[in-house]
């Protein structure tokens, strides 16, 4: 990309305020945190309910960014850069992408639907890449922001595009259609995802079809509902000349009719009828979703006029698609970012940004294979890759592949290997320790073997943490806040059992205002992990005060005795204005200054310059129970009176905060200057209506260790608490109460999820194992097992055990490996 800035003025309908119109940009960014921003970047400052990128423009100018699209110019930035001022910066991003798309004239496949878009896109890329130089959406970049960023990555060497478009409400697809302008439309499975944004399924289908206004052909699964929506869509838009290319399992009038399908050795054999011919096709999957996605790919290949033999040869090689970046614990105190099935230039940029957001170590290493389908010449490609590596301050590069090895001179501190086997042979000499390692390779390089070598060896039970869901939940609660209200996020108790440091890194990336921990050692661990955010210690013991000061943590002070103890140490260390947080007891009666101690507190602090009251806080006892609504209001009134007295008597204006997660939703008038987000970040709400809008964060998984069949009358487990009434198939799973599973969840009270079916837990839960009844399902040793996540949820388990979701989450043992993914 090389775009003349002055050409964008009419495109964006912008007002020019700058000093150099003779400027070209070769990179578009919306992320102020990206290390890839530079002098040739056009930064588009998006402004939304959760964040305003305009606030970071002064910082970006200091880093060398000179060109901005803005809705307003920050006061202290005028005259320091080039500004294109627009009414709406998101619209400007989309207008820029539409303008850029029109510079290219090769075929574009547009994908939409409820499910399967990303899978079909990745499979089509694999199936068509031997014959085309393809540009496609990275990962699942299919939103109002993701689509324009995907299209902007096109370059002159591409000759086929595959872009997906996702919508969650009416009128969104019109914007995406103007950006993608697909010639070929593919409608994937229509399901219940995002139903809440539409009045009916018909409305959702009709909205999705808007993507195909310029498509010469529309590929879809034939059904009465879709056919009806299609007919209306074509008539309304006067598109009766469009080609409809359909498939079906049941309707013989479809262009491609699936005569039969049968499962065999983890594969599916399909027989399909097309143009008076009958053909066999083998797909290496058995689940219905993969079969449907495979058939969508089949129709695209047929439309491209591939012969049956080529289709068979390629489709039998289809593979599971990893759509996420995973963070894993590695050997020798390393962190591993696993992106071992993908190697293209655009996704490398995304992975490097993720590396920065999750970097827990001082040193960064990238293990990178040859890069395919970039559209650039090798010389240009590896020059760009080397520059990306430099911009992201990567300390070491390990290249694997003939091509990247031939450009080793472009990289500093690089080691090159011709093959993955060569790397493995030299593994011990590479001395991996105390570094964050991004592993990014094309599938053919089998980098999963490298992941296995570097990954810390633990047992097969894991807690998967979805970082995207944490971001979603954070933004959900941010949207409830007034514009100037700060947010403290609680990461105590090992991030509510989910992993403190990794989540803290993500929160720091999102620029929250404060982190909250229970004890000093939790805060020290975060500081040792590189966290720079202010950290408040809610339950500091006086013995920890020296460490709190050493690590620049901020203590909550809740008694005169504690205050005097901290003041004594602070004076000994000659501190001045050290931040402390004053806790008031307004009715919780757990910790805090009561009303009769306020005068003594004021007298102790008056004229004191050793410490500074950074905030005054209290804690609501019943914010989650509207039956106690009046009690909460009495707490808020008392907090207002006591905090105001402190502020008046001491002539201070600190942050004030009283709301926790439930309080944010139920008592919006008490936001003060800051709120404290806790369990809501992790996807749990006590309000069933609110719960629908939160995303599940943690999924506890294990595997089946062994399957056996026992006769009627035999027992299972300690105490013979389960007696088989009939012949019963039992699966043993390597997770037990030492991993945090309550014994009360055993004996047919609870269940696990295997292949989307409930498997009741039978007998007593053991220390390291539990047993389940799998008599009614087809399963085998090694199959995946979900202990909790979407089904069952932690709330469901908590209700059954008469406890709260907090206890379920925080009980998960440290011996359970945490895997973080985006």
């Amino acid at each position: 990309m090389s775009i003349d800035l002055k050409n964008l003025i009419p495109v964006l309908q912008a007002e020019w305020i700058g000093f150099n119109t003779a400027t070209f940009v070769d990179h578009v960014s919306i992320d102020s945190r990206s290390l890839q921003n530079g002098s040739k970047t056009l930064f588009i400052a998006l402004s939304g309910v959760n964040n305003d990128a305009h606030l970071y423009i002064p910082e970006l100018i200091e880093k060398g960014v000179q060109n901005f699209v803005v809705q307003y110019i920050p006061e202290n930035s005028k005259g320091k850069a080039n500004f294109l001022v627009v009414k709406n910066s998101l619209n400007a991003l989309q207008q820029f992408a539409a303008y850029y798309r029109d510079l290219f004239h090769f075929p574009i496949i547009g994908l939409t639907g409820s499910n399967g878009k990303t899978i079909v896109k990745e499979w089509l890329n694999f199936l068509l890449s031997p014959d085309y130089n393809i540009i496609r959406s990275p990962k699942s970049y299919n939103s109002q922001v993701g689509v324009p960023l995907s299209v902007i990555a096109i370059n002159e060497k591409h000759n086929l595009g595959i872009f997906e478009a996702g919508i969650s409400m009416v009128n969104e697809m019109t914007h995406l259609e103007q950006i993608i302008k697909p010639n070929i439309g593919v409608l994937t499975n229509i399901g219940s995802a995002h139903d809440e944004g539409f009045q009916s399924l018909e409305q959702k289908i009709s909205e999705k079809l808007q993507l195909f206004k310029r498509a010469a052909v529309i590929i879809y699964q034939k059904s009465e509902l879709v056919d009806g929506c299609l007919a209306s869509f074509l008539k309304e838009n006067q598109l009766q000349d469009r080609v409809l290319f359909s498939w079906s399992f049941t309707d013989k009038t479809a262009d491609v009719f699936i005569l039969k399908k049968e499962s065999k050795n983890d594969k599916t054999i399909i027989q399909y009828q097309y143009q008076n011919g009958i053909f066999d096709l083998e797909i290496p999957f058995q689940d219905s979703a993969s079969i449907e996605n495979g058939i969508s790919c089949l129709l695209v290949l047929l439309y491209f006029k591939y012969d049956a033999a080529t289709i068979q040869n390629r489709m039998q090689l289809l593979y599971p698609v990893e759509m996420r970046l995973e963070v894993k614990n590695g050997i020798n105190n390393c962190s591993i970012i696993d992106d071992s099935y993908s190697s293209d230039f655009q996704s490398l940029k995304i992975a490097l940004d993720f590396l920065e957001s999750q970097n827990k170590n001082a040193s960064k290493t990238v293990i990178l294979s040859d890069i395919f389908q970039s559209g650039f010449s090798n010389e240009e490609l590896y020059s760009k890759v080397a520059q990306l590596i430099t911009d992201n301050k990567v300390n070491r590069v390990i290249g694997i592949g003939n091509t990247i090895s031939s450009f080793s001179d472009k990289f500093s501190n690089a080691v090159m290997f011709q093959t993955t086997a060569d790397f493995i042979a030299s593994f011990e000499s590479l001395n991996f320790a105390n570094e964050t390692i991004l592993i990014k390779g094309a599938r053919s390089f089998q980098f999963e073997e490298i992941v296995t070598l570097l990954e810390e060896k633990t047992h097969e039970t894991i807690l998967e943490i979805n970082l995207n869901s944490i971001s979603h939940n954070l933004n959900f609660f941010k949207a409830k806040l007034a514009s100037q209200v700060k947010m403290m996020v609680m990461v105590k108790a090992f991030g509510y059992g989910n992993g403190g440091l990794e989540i803290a890194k993500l929160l720091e990336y999102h620029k929250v205002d404060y982190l909250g921990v229970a004890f000093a050692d939790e805060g020290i661990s975060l500081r040792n992990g590189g966290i720079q955010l202010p950290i408040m210690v809610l339950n500091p013991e006086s013995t920890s005060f020296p460490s709190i000061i050493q690590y620049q943590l901020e203590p909550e002070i809740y008694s005169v005795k504690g205050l005097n103890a901290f003041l004594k140490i602070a004076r000994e260390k000659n501190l001045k204005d050290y931040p402390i947080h004053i806790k008031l007891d307004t009715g919780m009666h757990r910790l805090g200054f009561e009303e009769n101690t306020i005068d003594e507190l004021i007298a102790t602090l008056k004229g004191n310059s050793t410490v500074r009251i950074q905030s005054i806080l209290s804690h609501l006892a019943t914010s989650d129970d509207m039956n106690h609504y009046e009690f909460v209001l009495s707490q808020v009134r008392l907090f207002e009176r006591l905090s105001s007295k402190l502020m008046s008597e001491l002539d201070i204006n600190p942050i004030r905060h009283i709301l926790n997660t439930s309080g944010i939703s139920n008592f919006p008038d008490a936001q003060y200057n800051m709120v404290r987000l806790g369990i809501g970040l992790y996807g749990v709400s006590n309000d069933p209506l609110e719960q629908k809008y939160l995303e599940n964060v943690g999924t506890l998984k294990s595997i089946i260790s062994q399957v056996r069949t026992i006769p009627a009358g035999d027992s299972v487990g300690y105490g013979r608490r389960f007696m088989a009434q009939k012949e019963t198939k039992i699966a043993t799973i390597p997770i037990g109460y030492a991993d945090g599973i309550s014994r009360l969840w055993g004996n047919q009270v609870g269940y696990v999820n295997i292949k989307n079916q409930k498997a009741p837990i039978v007998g007593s839960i053991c220390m390291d194992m539990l047993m389940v009844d799998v008599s009614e399902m087809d399963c085998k040793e090694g199959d995946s097992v979900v202990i909790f996540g979407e089904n069952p949820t932690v709330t469901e388990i908590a209700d059954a055990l008469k406890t709260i979701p907090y206890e379920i989450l925080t009980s998960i043992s440290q011996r359970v490996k945490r895997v973080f993914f985006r």
Side-chain angles (χ1 to χ4, degrees):
M1 174 195 295
S2 181
I3 300 292
D4 192 334
L5 205 59
K6 66 175 179 290
N7 291 342
L8 295 179
I9 297 172
V11 170
L12 307 183
Q13 300 172 7
E15 177 188 1
W16 168 265
I17 300 176
F19 50 80
N20 186 7
T21 56
T23 297
F24 286 81
V25 294
D26 62 9
H27 174 227
V28 174
S29 174
I30 61 168
D31 188 350
S32 63
R33 300 157 297 194
S34 175
L35 297 179
Q36 296 159 33
N37 295 324
S39 61
K40 294 294 183 67
T41 295
L42 177 64
F43 185 84
I44 301 180
L46 299 184
S47 181
V49 293
N50 302 316
N51 207 353
D52 183 1
H54 294 77
L55 301 176
Y56 311 118
I57 287 175
E59 179 184 327
L60 287 163
I61 291 174
E62 286 184 13
K63 293 179 179 178
V65 180
Q66 284 291 291
N67 307 295
F68 297 88
V69 174
V70 297
Q71 292 172 195
Y72 65 89
I73 303 174
E75 194 63 40
N76 57 350
S77 299
K78 291 180 178 177
K80 295 181 179 179
N82 297 318
F83 293 98
L84 293 166
V85 184
V86 299
K87 290 182 179 179
N88 184 293
S89 50
L90 174 58
N91 290 347
L93 171 65
Q94 295 174 339
Q95 288 162 352
F96 175 86
Y99 159 77
Y100 189 73
R101 159 69 176 92
D102 285 340
L103 301 178
F104 302 92
H105 304 287
F106 51 77
I108 298 284
I109 300 172
L111 294 153
T112 192
S114 302
N115 307 298
K117 297 183 294 293
T118 304
I119 302 292
V120 173
K121 178 199 67 190
E122 293 298 320
W123 282 356
L124 285 177
N125 176 68
F126 169 76
L127 294 166
L128 296 170
S129 59
D131 309 305
Y132 295 91
N133 195 353
I134 298 172
I135 175 69
R136 71 191 192 280
S137 312
K139 301 295 178 183
S140 52
Y141 270 40
N142 59 29
S143 67
Q144 298 292 307
V145 173
V147 167
L149 292 178
S150 300
V151 168
I152 289 166
I154 297 173
N155 68 48
E156 292 76 8
K157 301 294 176 62
H158 294 122
N159 57 14
L160 179 66
I162 310 174
F163 298 108
E164 55 176 298
I167 57 171
S168 56
M169 61 182 68
V170 296
N171 299 322
E172 286 188 327
M173 190 61 86
T174 300
H175 302 293
L176 302 186
E177 190 279 333
Q178 292 169 357
I179 299 167
I180 300 174
K181 299 183 181 73
N183 316 98
I184 300 162
V186 179
L187 185 67
T188 64
N189 175 273
I190 297 293
S192 60
H194 301 296
D195 270 358
E196 64 275 7
F198 303 95
Q199 294 177 358
S200 64
L201 190 57
E202 288 87 348
Q203 185 188 52
K204 181 164 73 169
I205 296 170
S206 297
E207 285 293 320
K208 289 181 180 295
L209 290 174
Q210 299 304 312
L211 180 62
F212 306 140
K213 281 185 178 180
R214 297 174 226 220
V217 60
I218 301 172
I219 294 169
Y220 71 104
Q221 181 178 6
K222 194 172 180 59
S223 73
E224 186 175 336
L225 178 60
V226 175
D227 281 341
C229 293
L230 260 172
S232 298
F233 166 71
L234 297 176
K235 183 177 180 181
E236 288 170 10
N237 293 279
Q238 297 182 345
L239 301 174
Q240 282 84 351
D241 60 335
R242 293 297 184 266
V243 174
L244 300 182
F245 192 28
S246 63
W247 67 272
S248 177
F249 290 118
T250 57
D251 189 337
K252 293 183 179 180
T253 66
D255 297 290
V256 178
F257 180 60
I258 311 301
L259 293 167
K260 64 178 181 178
K261 59 175 182 173
E262 60 181 36
S263 299
K264 184 178 180 181
N265 300 327
D266 294 328
K267 299 175 183 177
T268 299
I269 309 299
I270 289 172
Q271 191 175 75
Y272 65 95
Q273 182 175 313
Y274 173 60
Q275 292 184 341
N276 300 318
I278 295 176
F279 308 92
D280 289 330
L281 176 66
E282 181 182 286
I283 300 175
F285 301 98
Q286 290 187 340
D287 64 286
S288 58
S290 294
I291 292 168
E292 286 191 15
N293 293 335
I295 295 171
S296 292
C297 293
L298 166 66
L299 263 72
V300 174
L301 294 180
L302 291 172
Y303 179 74
F304 275 67
K305 301 191 184 310
Y306 282 89
D307 61 74
T310 302
I311 291 172
Q312 174 58 74
N313 289 338
R314 294 187 185 180
M315 289 195 65
Q316 67 185 353
L317 299 176
L318 290 178
Y319 50 82
V321 173
E322 286 291 339
M323 293 183 290
R324 61 197 198 182
L325 292 160
E326 289 189 344
V327 183
K328 303 174 179 179
N329 291 329
I331 60 173
N332 304 328
N333 197 37
C334 290
S335 292
I336 310 301
I337 298 176
D338 181 2
D339 195 11
S340 56
Y341 297 101
S342 168
S343 182
D344 60 84
F345 184 68
Q346 188 69 1
S347 68
L348 175 61
K349 296 167 73 173
I350 295 168
L352 286 169
D353 276 339
F354 185 62
L355 169 64
E356 180 61 23
S357 73
Q358 281 297 310
N359 183 31
K360 297 188 293 183
N361 303 83
S363 181
K364 293 185 284 189
T365 294
V366 173
I367 302 175
L368 184 65
S369 78
D370 288 347
I371 294 176
F372 302 130
Q373 292 181 286
S374 71
F376 304 113
S377 68
N378 284 336
E379 177 71 30
E380 186 178 5
L381 168 63
Y382 289 102
S383 295
K384 287 178 176 290
V385 170
Q387 188 60 52
L388 273 181
I389 296 291
T390 300
D391 291 343
N392 282 271
K393 299 179 174 61
V394 173
N395 304 89
R396 176 165 62 154
V397 176
I398 297 173
I400 300 178
N402 294 325
T403 309
I404 194 172
S405 295
S406 67
F407 291 95
S408 60
D409 60 314
K410 293 187 179 295
F411 301 90
S412 59
N413 196 19
V415 181
M416 298 292 172
F417 298 94
Q418 297 294 310
T419 66
T420 302
D422 293 339
F423 167 88
I424 292 172
S426 301
F427 179 76
E428 295 298 333
S429 66
L430 293 169
N431 299 319
F432 291 103
N434 303 308
E435 54 198 301
T436 302
I437 306 167
L438 169 63
I439 302 173
K440 185 157 186 61
R443 180 172 295 273
S444 59
F445 283 85
Q446 297 181 310
F447 272 17
E448 63 271 22
E449 297 179 23
I450 296 177
V451 174
T452 300
L453 279 175
L454 285 167
E455 193 174 2
E456 184 180 47
K457 305 304 181 283
T458 55
H459 70 111
E460 291 169 295
T461 296
I462 61 172
L463 180 61
E464 289 188 345
I465 311 299
N466 186 332
L467 297 177
N468 282 60
S469 294
I470 288 181
S471 297
H472 168 88
N473 297 337
L474 175 70
N475 288 332
F476 174 80
F477 286 101
K478 270 188 177 181
K480 293 175 177 283
L481 305 183
S483 59
Q484 300 304 313
V485 175
K486 299 178 185 295
M487 179 173 281
M488 175 186 288
V489 181
M490 311 309 297
V491 291
K492 61 182 181 178
F494 195 53
Y496 288 59
N498 292 286
L501 179 57
E502 292 81 1
I503 291 173
K505 289 292 294 185
L506 181 64
L507 295 172
E508 189 166 59
Y509 191 69
H510 281 296
K511 302 191 178 187
V512 302
D513 300 284
Y514 260 90
L515 298 178
V517 298
F519 300 105
D521 57 350
E522 295 176 318
I524 291 169
S525 176
L526 295 181
R527 284 283 185 255
N528 287 335
I531 298 298
Q532 300 297 315
L533 282 175
I535 299 173
M536 177 177 161
V537 182
L538 282 80
N539 305 325
E541 298 141 321
S542 57
T543 54
S544 70
F545 285 158
S547 296
I548 284 175
I549 293 169
Q550 178 184 350
Y551 286 92
Q552 293 294 294
L553 308 176
E554 301 179 17
E556 175 189 286
I557 302 295
Y558 48 82
S559 68
V560 172
K561 179 182 177 183
L563 175 60
N564 285 326
F566 189 79
L567 287 174
K568 179 176 183 295
I569 294 172
R571 291 190 193 103
E572 291 172 355
K573 294 183 177 292
N574 296 315
L575 300 181
K576 184 174 177 60
D577 290 336
Y578 195 91
I580 62 171
H581 301 261
I582 298 298
K583 175 75 169 286
L584 304 178
D585 181 3
T586 58
M588 182 78 163
H589 296 328
R590 189 171 64 177
L591 292 174
F593 289 92
E594 296 182 284
E595 187 167 12
N596 60 7
T597 63
I598 296 299
D599 289 337
E600 186 178 0
L601 169 63
I602 292 170
T604 304
L605 287 173
K606 220 162 202 178
N608 189 304
S609 62
T610 308
V611 297
R612 178 185 80 255
I613 297 180
Q614 181 72 3
S615 83
I616 302 172
L617 68 146
S618 188
H619 196 70
L620 298 177
T622 58
S623 64
D624 60 339
D625 187 349
M626 299 307 281
N627 292 320
H628 296 285
Y629 181 81
E630 288 301 325
F631 181 75
V632 173
L633 294 185
S634 72
Q635 280 196 269
V636 173
R637 287 193 293 267
L638 181 57
F639 177 70
E640 173 66 28
R641 182 157 53 83
L642 297 183
S643 60
S644 295
K645 182 177 181 178
L646 277 172
M647 291 164 66
S648 175
E649 294 282 341
L650 296 174
D651 191 24
I652 57 175
N653 186 28
I655 299 167
R656 291 192 286 176
H657 48 115
I658 193 171
L659 297 185
N660 54 7
T661 295
S662 297
I664 293 170
S665 298
N666 294 334
F667 297 92
D669 292 337
Q671 290 179 5
Y672 286 97
N673 313 102
M674 186 161 75
V675 298
R676 302 187 301 271
L677 178 61
I679 194 74
L681 181 76
Y682 306 99
V684 177
S685 172
N686 67 297
D687 181 352
L689 292 177
E690 184 174 81
Q691 185 66 57
K692 291 195 308 180
Y693 295 97
L694 298 179
E695 293 185 359
N696 179 66
V697 168
T699 301
L700 183 60
K701 289 183 174 182
S702 192
I703 64 165
I704 296 175
S705 295
Q706 190 174 36
V707 178
R708 72 185 71 232
T709 299
I710 63 173
D714 273 19
S715 62
V716 174
Y718 287 117
R720 306 193 73 199
R721 289 184 173 86
F722 174 79
M723 304 291 293
Q725 301 300 308
K726 58 181 181 179
E727 185 177 87
T728 306
K729 187 163 67 170
I730 300 294
T732 301
I733 300 160
I735 185 171
Y737 60 76
D739 300 292
I741 308 303
S742 172
R743 293 182 79 248
L744 299 175
W745 189 234
N747 292 315
Q748 295 178 286
V749 173
Y751 67 93
V752 301
N753 190 313
I754 301 173
K755 294 187 173 180
N756 294 317
Q757 298 179 68
K758 289 184 178 181
I761 299 172
V762 295
S764 297
I765 292 176
C766 308
M767 180 181 289
D768 309 301
M769 286 171 279
L770 58 83
M771 288 71 71
V772 298
D773 183 350
V774 293
S775 301
E776 303 303 318
M777 64 183 67
D778 178 22
C779 62
K780 61 183 182 303
E781 293 171 8
D783 280 352
S784 180
V785 178
V786 174
I787 312 300
F788 66 65
E790 297 283 357
N791 183 26
T793 65
V794 291
T795 301
E796 180 183 348
I797 297 173
D799 290 344
L801 301 185
K802 295 181 170 53
T803 183
I804 56 177
Y806 296 76
E807 183 175 351
I808 306 302
L809 287 173
T810 58
S811 295
I812 302 306
S813 166
Q814 296 287 312
R815 80 176 186 178
V816 173
K817 179 174 69 174
R818 271 71 174 173
V819 173
F820 300 85
F821 67 90
R822 176 176 285 178

